[in-house]
Amino acid sequence: MIKLIVGLGNPGKEYSGTRHNIGFKVVERFLERRGSDKFEERHTCSSMIYCGRFRGKSLILQKPLTFMNLSGEAVGALCRREKILPEEVLVVCDDMDLPLGELRLRGKGGSGGHNGLKSIIGNLQSESFARLRFGVGRPEKENAAEHVLGVFEEKDGRLLDLLLTRSCEAIECALSAGLDRAMNGCNRKFEVEDV
C-alpha cells in the first residue's frame, strides 16, 4: 500500500516551469484535483509535505527542497520519521529516455541515470519503491542539463496539461486498485488527440 507520493524537482522560482520539476507539478495537480479534501501543508524534513487522506487512508505528498541530486536525504528523513517502507513510496520524476507524451509506471528498478532516483536509492538502501517516469524527451543539440533545466515549449501546453491529469489518474488508480491495474492504463504514449 502506497503511503507516500514524492514529486521530484528543484526549489526556487527559477526552476518552477522546467522539465526537471515535473514531479512538483504532478503533486500540485494531484492536490488541486482533491478539491474539498483537506491536506495539511507543513515544512519538515527539508521538504514541503501535505498530509491528508485518500479514500479513508492516510497519505503524505512530498516535495523535497534539497535540490534534485540530494532528494534522498529528504525522502529518507521523512520515511524514517513516519516509519514508511520503500515499498510504500511512489516517486514521480522526469525521464529523458522517454519522449514527451509517454508515461511509465513501475514497481521498482534502478535509477536509469536520474540523479534524484540515484540519491533516493542510496538513502533508502533499496530500489523497491514505485516510480512514475514522465517523458520529457532527449535533446538533439543542447546538453542534457540545459534540456532538463529548460522550460516546456508553448506548443506542448495542451499535451502537458493532459499528461499531468493522466499522471494523477495513474496515482489515484495505484492508490485505490494497486500498481498492476494502474500500469495497465498508464504505460503508453499519449497524444494531443487524447484530450
Side-chain angles (χ1 to χ4, degrees):
M1 185 178 75
I2 295 167
K3 297 180 180 177
L4 173 63
I5 307 293
V6 181
L8 296 187
N10 286 313
K13 289 183 180 177
E14 67 269 35
Y15 298 108
S16 65
T18 64
R19 296 176 180 92
H20 226 16
N21 271 37
I22 202 63
F24 280 11
K25 291 289 185 196
V26 171
V27 165
E28 289 159 11
R29 177 64 63 89
F30 184 92
L31 291 168
E32 286 171 17
R33 286 168 61 87
R34 297 316 326 140
S36 61
D37 290 353
K38 300 284 190 246
F39 275 81
E40 179 190 346
E41 180 179 331
R42 295 204 309 261
H43 184 273
T44 186
C45 297
S46 304
S47 307
M48 291 306 303
I49 68 166
Y50 309 85
C51 302
R53 301 186 78 74
F54 181 86
R55 299 199 175 172
K57 296 175 182 172
S58 295
L59 179 65
I60 301 173
L61 291 94
Q62 179 183 25
K63 297 196 304 187
L65 302 178
T66 51
F67 286 96
M68 185 67 75
N69 294 358
L70 300 175
S71 298
E73 293 179 8
V75 175
L78 185 60
C79 285
R80 286 187 290 275
R81 197 189 80 177
E82 299 295 328
K83 296 179 172 55
I84 295 172
L85 301 172
E87 297 80 14
E88 298 170 326
V89 177
L90 191 158
V91 177
V92 184
C93 64
D94 60 298
D95 190 330
M96 286 196 305
D97 292 327
L98 299 175
L100 180 65
E102 193 164 326
L103 300 174
R104 188 165 299 158
L105 179 63
R106 293 282 183 267
K108 61 183 176 179
S111 70
H114 192 286
N115 288 329
L117 292 177
K118 197 178 295 183
S119 176
I120 294 170
I121 289 168
N123 204 283
L124 296 183
Q125 293 293 293
S126 174
E127 295 183 346
S128 297
F129 56 89
R131 67 282 316 270
L132 175 60
R133 294 179 184 262
F134 191 112
V136 297
R138 189 168 287 281
E140 290 181 21
K141 296 178 183 174
E142 63 188 339
N143 70 38
E146 287 174 352
H147 181 68
V148 295
L149 295 177
V151 297
F152 289 96
E153 295 182 38
E154 194 172 328
K155 68 179 177 63
D156 295 322
R158 285 178 62 213
L159 179 58
L160 182 59
D161 186 64
L162 170 70
L163 293 166
L164 289 170
T165 297
R166 292 292 184 261
S167 295
C168 291
E169 290 171 352
I171 292 169
E172 290 162 1
C173 184
L175 289 168
S176 57
L179 278 174
D180 288 343
R181 180 86 172 270
M183 285 188 277
N184 287 338
C186 167
N187 291 346
R188 68 183 187 91
K189 192 169 193 307
F190 295 90
E191 308 285 351
V192 176
E193 291 72 26
D194 295 324
V195 175

